[in-house]
Amino acid sequence: MDDIEPPQNISFEGMVIAYGNLLVMALLPIFLGAFRSVKHHSLQKKRLEESGEKPDTMSTKDTATFPLIASSALFGIYIFFKIFLKAYINYLLTFLFFIFGVSALTHLLSPALERYFIKVRSYFKYTLGIYIRYGIIPNFLPLRKFDIILTESKHESEGEDKFLKTKSIFALNFLTSDIITAALSSAIGVWYLMKKHWIANDIFAFTFAVNGVELLFLNSVLTGYIFLSCLFIYVSWVFGTNVKVPVTKSFEAQIKLIFPSDLLENGLSASNFAMLGLGDIIIPGIFIALLLRFDHSLNRGRSTYFTATFFAYIAGLFLAIFVPHVFKHDQPALLYLVPACLGTPILIAAIKGDLKALFKYEDHSSEEHIRVFLFFSRVFLFLCTS
């Protein structure tokens, strides 16, 4: 996870502008992504009922093994940078950042543009239809659907009958709005590749964060607690070693939000940046989004757990920004964000009598969740009575 990196030698006004914008850019993806995740969850449930297709979620096994996997991956990258030329690795990472950035921005913008197409076409249909009919005004903005399908055909026989069996290998469906947003996203991606400008970086980083909070699912609150607790251990380990700093400083295509602190002095050509890693947004964000879905499952008409944990995240982020700036020492933001996000729901659930409902909630039922819940319940009771 990235540290909060305070800019050096800046004015007070520049510092306020930089940190204020980072704060807004961190909160918006969580808020937007959380509500988008509710809609995505509804679509998943509908798909599960219609076709039996199970959604991809993070299991308790995945979360429990995360510190080991992440530590191994980080150490592997560290060794990789020691052996191979950094330039070639950064070329690859920049290319991947471009591909994923274009995809994320297209996914975010396409639905909005599709709705705009429908509104504009509806307006022209009912107000200027006669002009369109006679060609005076062209029927622009056509919302068309395209299908690209790759199939495999085999000649098979059954007795004396011979027939051609077709199997679908790949199918891609897209609309006119998808083409336009993909072109726009690609233009921004080329701008990023050519200039590495901070605005292009922030556009892609912002869309990464929104998509991450929307599409990544922890499935159950218990899984979320295990995941964030293991992550806290991982961050503590990484912070106590010298492995992470050489790796992150070797990356040119770092996936993080940045904002210039010398914007007032140098304008858009500013080069002194305050930074916030996307992991500090997405990882707490998917847990906060899970709490919003839990709020909806209670059917109380209020988003108590989401709202309280969202404000706890804001308080943790303020601390994560304030402490490194005062002590002039980089620190992982998750050291403050994880306790804030984990402590708040438990406190509220204890007050409202929702502890059992909180830890039993899951987006999609699974026997594995029940077994893990019973196991950790017994461990908790053992520790309390020892």
Side-chain angles (χ1 to χ4, degrees):
M1 299 308 105
D2 293 311
D3 308 333
I4 293 284
E5 297 185 20
Q8 304 297 323
N9 302 321
I10 60 171
S11 64
F12 177 76
E13 293 82 2
M15 179 188 69
V16 171
I17 292 174
Y19 285 137
N21 279 277
L22 282 182
L23 185 65
V24 172
M25 288 192 292
L27 297 179
L28 276 179
I30 294 178
F31 188 84
L32 295 175
F35 281 92
R36 288 170 66 96
S37 78
V38 174
K39 182 179 179 181
H40 186 65
H41 176 236
S42 300
L43 293 175
Q44 283 186 329
K45 290 179 69 175
K46 185 178 179 181
R47 194 179 299 125
L48 181 62
E49 293 171 357
E50 292 177 351
S51 63
E53 180 184 349
K54 293 184 178 180
D56 294 325
T57 58
M58 191 175 295
S59 68
T60 49
K61 182 179 178 182
D62 297 330
T63 58
T65 57
F66 175 80
L68 179 61
I69 296 173
S71 300
S72 302
L74 185 65
F75 185 71
I77 297 173
Y78 175 76
I79 298 299
F80 206 70
F81 270 116
K82 291 291 184 181
I83 298 175
F84 298 98
L85 288 175
K86 297 177 183 178
Y88 294 119
I89 301 172
N90 279 314
Y91 289 150
L92 175 62
L93 292 174
T94 301
F95 176 72
L96 292 176
F97 187 69
F98 166 78
I99 295 297
F100 292 131
V102 169
S103 301
L105 187 56
T106 301
H107 175 266
L108 187 65
L109 293 181
S110 185
L113 188 60
E114 181 184 343
R115 289 192 295 270
Y116 176 75
F117 270 35
I118 294 172
K119 282 185 178 181
V120 170
R121 291 192 68 201
S122 176
Y123 171 80
F124 278 99
K125 179 180 178 180
Y126 292 107
T127 58
L128 299 175
I130 187 171
Y131 297 104
I132 294 173
R133 186 181 305 169
Y134 292 101
I136 299 174
I137 296 178
N139 188 10
F140 66 107
L141 297 179
L143 188 61
R144 295 173 182 168
K145 183 180 179 182
F146 302 91
D147 298 301
I148 298 177
I149 302 173
L150 180 64
T151 60
E152 179 185 4
S153 300
K154 288 184 179 180
H155 290 280
E156 296 188 2
S157 59
E158 201 172 286
E160 295 183 357
D161 298 328
K162 293 183 179 180
F163 58 91
L164 187 66
K165 186 177 180 180
T166 304
K167 178 184 176 182
S168 179
I169 299 176
F170 173 79
L172 178 64
N173 307 314
F174 56 93
L175 302 169
T176 312
S177 55
D178 296 320
I179 298 175
I180 295 176
T181 50
L184 176 63
S185 303
S186 299
I188 295 174
V190 171
W191 178 31
Y192 171 79
L193 288 176
M194 300 296 292
K195 300 293 185 180
K196 296 290 195 308
H197 199 277
W198 62 271
I199 295 179
N201 175 90
D202 281 352
I203 291 173
F204 279 162
F206 182 86
T207 55
F208 271 130
V210 175
N211 281 282
V213 175
E214 174 191 357
L215 302 176
L216 294 177
F217 277 63
L218 288 168
N219 191 47
S220 70
V221 174
L222 179 60
T223 301
Y225 269 86
I226 297 172
F227 178 57
L228 289 183
S229 299
C230 292
L231 189 68
F232 188 81
I233 297 172
Y234 165 72
V235 169
S236 301
W237 172 83
V238 168
F239 184 60
T241 66
N242 64 343
V243 173
K244 178 179 178 294
V245 175
V247 170
T248 54
K249 288 188 175 180
S250 298
F251 284 160
E252 288 182 6
Q254 297 185 50
I255 306 176
K256 56 175 63 176
L257 288 169
I258 60 177
F259 199 88
S261 55
D262 53 344
L263 183 67
L264 296 177
E265 293 82 7
N266 300 320
L268 296 180
S269 301
S271 57
N272 194 3
F273 297 102
M275 305 179 184
L276 178 65
L278 286 195
D280 304 325
I281 302 170
I282 296 175
I283 291 173
I286 60 178
F287 182 72
I288 295 172
L290 175 64
L291 293 175
L292 179 61
R293 299 194 294 275
F294 171 66
D295 277 320
H296 279 239
S297 72
L298 295 176
N299 294 319
R300 293 175 180 170
R302 297 186 301 274
S303 301
T304 306
Y305 289 90
F306 167 76
T307 304
T309 309
F310 186 73
F311 279 102
Y313 174 85
I314 296 175
L317 194 57
F318 267 115
L319 276 177
I321 292 174
F322 177 76
V323 173
H325 180 75
V326 171
F327 293 99
K328 307 298 181 183
H329 184 65
D330 295 347
Q331 288 184 336
L334 289 173
L335 287 179
Y336 303 93
L337 298 176
V338 169
C341 291
L342 292 185
T344 305
I346 284 187
L347 180 61
I348 295 175
I351 295 172
K352 297 177 74 68
D354 290 336
L355 276 174
K356 185 177 180 181
L358 178 68
F359 283 101
K360 274 194 171 182
Y361 173 77
E362 53 185 351
D363 287 328
H364 306 282
S365 60
S366 66
E367 293 182 1
E368 177 197 19
H369 173 267
I370 296 172
R371 290 197 299 269
V372 174
F373 175 75
L374 292 174
F375 171 75
F376 277 94
S377 298
R378 289 166 185 166
V379 172
F380 178 75
L381 289 173
F382 172 76
L383 293 175
C384 290
T385 55
S386 297

